[in-house]
Amino acid sequence: DPDLQCNFENGLCNWEQDTEDDFDWIRIKGPTPTVNTGPLKDHTTGTGSGHYLYMESSGPQEFEDKAALLSPLFNPSGNRTCIFRFHYYMFGKQVYLLSVFQRTVSNAKGWLLWYKFGDQGNRWMRQTLYISSSKPFQILVKGTVGDGFTGDIGLDDMSFLDCTLYNGKNRVKVMCKSLICMLIMIQRCDFRPDCSDKSDESDCAMEVCNFEDNTQCGWYQPALEQMSGTDSVHTTNIFKWELGSGANLYPGEEEQCPSTDHTTYTVEGWYLFADSSNGEFGHTADITTPVISLTGPKCKIVFWNHMNGSTIGSLEVLCKTGNKSSKLWTQSGSQGPQWNRAEVFLGIRSDFQIVFRAKRGVSYMGDVAVDDITFEDCSPLLIPDRHCTLEEFTCANKYCIPKDNLCDFVNDCADNSDENPTI
């Protein structure tokens, strides 16, 4: 596949310069500017007119400065092994280090696949690496400067075999103010900002929502969106969720609707409520988050609810994945004239939405309200760039967790290795 090979005769092909390193690889033909280091010619044509990449080790570069190249994103390898082949040139007294990493998270260093130290002779060398991954992945090729200017390193003829490029539908390009984040889908809307301006978490479920800015914090009502597409349907008299406050209540409404919000405990504070003065008995109103791509093992949703009135129906919390929904929490009937706290454990989930579903009772005396919705401890686990300490357990997937979390019936590792019966 021509998309999976590059001889650098016409640019960098699918490879990109890393924006997080210290300097860039240089495309060149002929010898490098410094004598007694680097290639004299490329590998593809074996002549001075062919192009290759090299890492310049002369000033202003300093000892241990790094230049990294990023491959395109690849699909999980599945049952096959993805083969990465490249040619390198490490000639010079002060040649230091060339290394190759594999990563599945855009802001991580990844794990080391291969490295070479020092002078390897005045010739091109070929290296073949065999890669397996259960997740979409990316390859980093990193050169590190030694303690002198005779440390140039060359790269040429880099190719992949039995590897599949991550398709456009599942790849998200997030434009950040300071850099372009190339994010795999699982890194968007996962409660962890990967872009410096947090734009990969925009238009996502908000970690904390108190409705005080008079918005619904990204929660939306699918039924209303469908109806808004037809001009003949008016949404004024249907049972639906709305923003409300005690200041906007009619006389007598405080008997079934909160007179103050939970955040500020004032009549000016805002909350979300399902107005039972609209609709009929048994009608339901759903309000849902945008799709959440991935959560961590301790993720839970905490919210406050107000269910006071003689004909309260019910409030449910559901998890929706694709076209399937499962009920996580439910409460029916009047719960008194106060705000009540609720907590729902979510744990590790992927590509899902949280739905609040209100069901109308037999009359208008039954508004259901929610406020201060918080997703707690929901960002996915990060593999650390270190070894786990003696007080930590090393999960099979290289995460580190406190040893107190072993055998507690919670999948803290995200791969269940901390709950393995053998330990």
Side-chain angles (χ1 to χ4, degrees):
D1 184 346
D3 285 337
L4 298 180
Q5 53 185 303
C6 191
N7 58 18
F8 304 109
E9 295 307 315
N10 298 297
L12 295 185
C13 311
N14 270 335
W15 291 83
E16 291 184 4
Q17 305 275 8
D18 190 2
T19 58
E20 303 289 308
D21 58 4
D22 302 306
F23 64 106
D24 286 345
W25 290 84
I26 299 169
R27 182 171 164 267
I28 193 176
K29 61 180 180 179
T32 60
T34 310
V35 297
N36 295 321
T37 188
L40 296 172
K41 52 194 177 184
D42 79 328
H43 175 266
T44 316
T45 68
T47 69
S49 59
H51 291 81
Y52 60 92
L53 296 186
Y54 90 101
M55 183 197 80
E56 176 58 69
S57 58
S58 303
Q61 274 69 264
E62 298 178 352
F63 178 58
E64 289 196 332
D65 277 359
K66 295 170 178 63
L69 276 180
L70 304 179
S71 77
L73 302 177
F74 292 99
N75 278 323
S77 57
N79 295 327
R80 297 190 303 180
T81 299
C82 169
I83 299 171
F84 173 42
R85 189 162 55 203
F86 62 98
H87 291 76
Y88 65 94
Y89 206 105
M90 297 176 69
F91 170 63
K93 280 186 179 179
Q94 292 156 316
V95 165
Y96 188 42
L97 173 64
L98 180 66
S99 48
V100 178
F101 296 84
Q102 177 185 347
R103 71 181 185 185
T104 55
V105 179
S106 72
N107 61 344
K109 185 173 80 171
W111 54 94
L112 185 65
L113 294 178
W114 173 92
Y115 69 93
K116 267 289 191 248
F117 270 111
D119 189 335
Q120 302 297 315
N122 193 4
R123 64 190 183 280
W124 284 102
M125 312 280 287
R126 186 171 83 168
Q127 182 63 40
T128 303
L129 301 178
Y130 300 90
I131 300 162
S132 297
S133 180
S134 60
K135 296 179 180 178
F137 68 94
Q138 185 177 45
I139 297 298
L140 284 76
V141 180
K142 188 179 293 185
T144 306
V145 175
D147 58 358
F149 57 84
T150 57
D152 296 349
I153 297 174
L155 291 173
D156 203 3
D157 293 333
M158 301 164 76
S159 61
F160 292 90
L161 182 65
D162 290 334
C163 313
T164 312
L165 288 172
Y166 212 64
N167 63 45
K169 287 185 215 172
N170 295 330
R171 188 159 94 175
V172 179
K173 232 183 189 180
V174 181
M175 294 298 295
C176 303
K177 290 172 187 170
S178 56
L179 72 159
I180 296 177
C181 292
M182 285 296 295
L183 298 176
I184 299 170
M185 181 64 90
I186 58 171
Q187 288 175 251
R188 179 160 164 74
C189 297
D190 64 354
F191 300 104
R192 174 182 288 118
D194 296 288
C195 288
S196 59
D197 64 353
K198 303 183 180 180
S199 56
D200 57 304
E201 295 300 311
S202 61
D203 304 320
C204 302
M206 288 181 64
E207 207 161 359
V208 178
C209 180
N210 57 22
F211 306 106
E212 291 310 305
D213 58 357
N214 203 11
T215 73
Q216 294 181 4
C217 306
W219 292 77
Y220 69 96
Q221 300 181 74
L224 295 189
E225 290 198 351
Q226 291 170 7
M227 289 182 181
S228 65
T230 57
D231 296 333
S232 59
V233 177
H234 297 285
T235 62
T236 49
N237 296 318
I238 68 167
F239 183 52
K240 62 182 182 294
W241 291 90
E242 302 175 28
L243 287 172
S245 71
N248 296 328
L249 295 180
Y250 296 111
E253 263 193 315
E254 61 273 1
E255 292 183 20
Q256 78 267 2
C257 204
S259 55
T260 63
D261 74 327
H262 177 264
T263 315
T264 67
Y265 281 103
T266 64
V267 295
E268 287 82 19
W270 293 90
Y271 52 78
L272 192 67
F273 78 109
D275 186 359
S276 58
S277 60
N278 297 315
E280 298 176 7
F281 172 56
H283 282 184
T284 60
D286 285 1
I287 192 161
T288 181
T289 64
V291 173
I292 299 167
S293 60
L294 188 65
T295 53
K298 295 182 180 179
C299 179
K300 62 184 177 183
I301 181 172
V302 177
F303 62 96
W304 292 79
N305 60 88
H306 191 284
M307 299 175 69
N308 186 45
S310 56
T311 58
I312 287 282
S314 65
L315 174 64
E316 296 176 351
V317 178
L318 301 101
C319 176
K320 185 173 183 285
T321 306
N323 294 322
K324 293 182 179 179
S325 295
S326 56
K327 194 183 299 183
L328 304 178
W329 180 94
T330 184
Q331 191 159 262
S332 303
S334 183
Q335 304 297 316
Q338 74 284 330
W339 286 97
N340 299 298
R341 184 181 185 274
E343 181 178 306
V344 182
F345 179 73
L346 300 177
I348 297 170
R349 297 173 186 264
S350 59
D351 299 324
F352 70 99
Q353 295 168 279
I354 293 297
V355 181
F356 279 107
R357 175 171 293 169
K359 187 174 287 187
R360 188 185 183 276
V362 295
S363 83
Y364 67 90
M365 299 286 290
D367 293 347
V368 172
V370 295
D371 199 5
D372 292 331
I373 305 170
T374 307
F375 288 89
E376 294 187 4
D377 296 322
C378 284
S379 56
L381 294 175
L382 267 182
I383 298 176
D385 290 330
R386 59 173 176 83
H387 291 295
C388 300
T389 66
L390 292 176
E391 288 74 39
E392 293 176 320
F393 172 75
T394 306
C395 304
N397 54 21
K398 306 302 182 188
Y399 290 130
C400 300
I401 65 165
K403 285 188 175 176
D404 288 347
N405 290 2
L406 294 178
C407 306
D408 62 355
F409 303 102
V410 177
N411 180 16
D412 297 289
C413 281
D415 64 2
N416 267 317
S417 58
D418 57 308
E419 300 300 309
N420 190 319
T422 60
I423 62 169

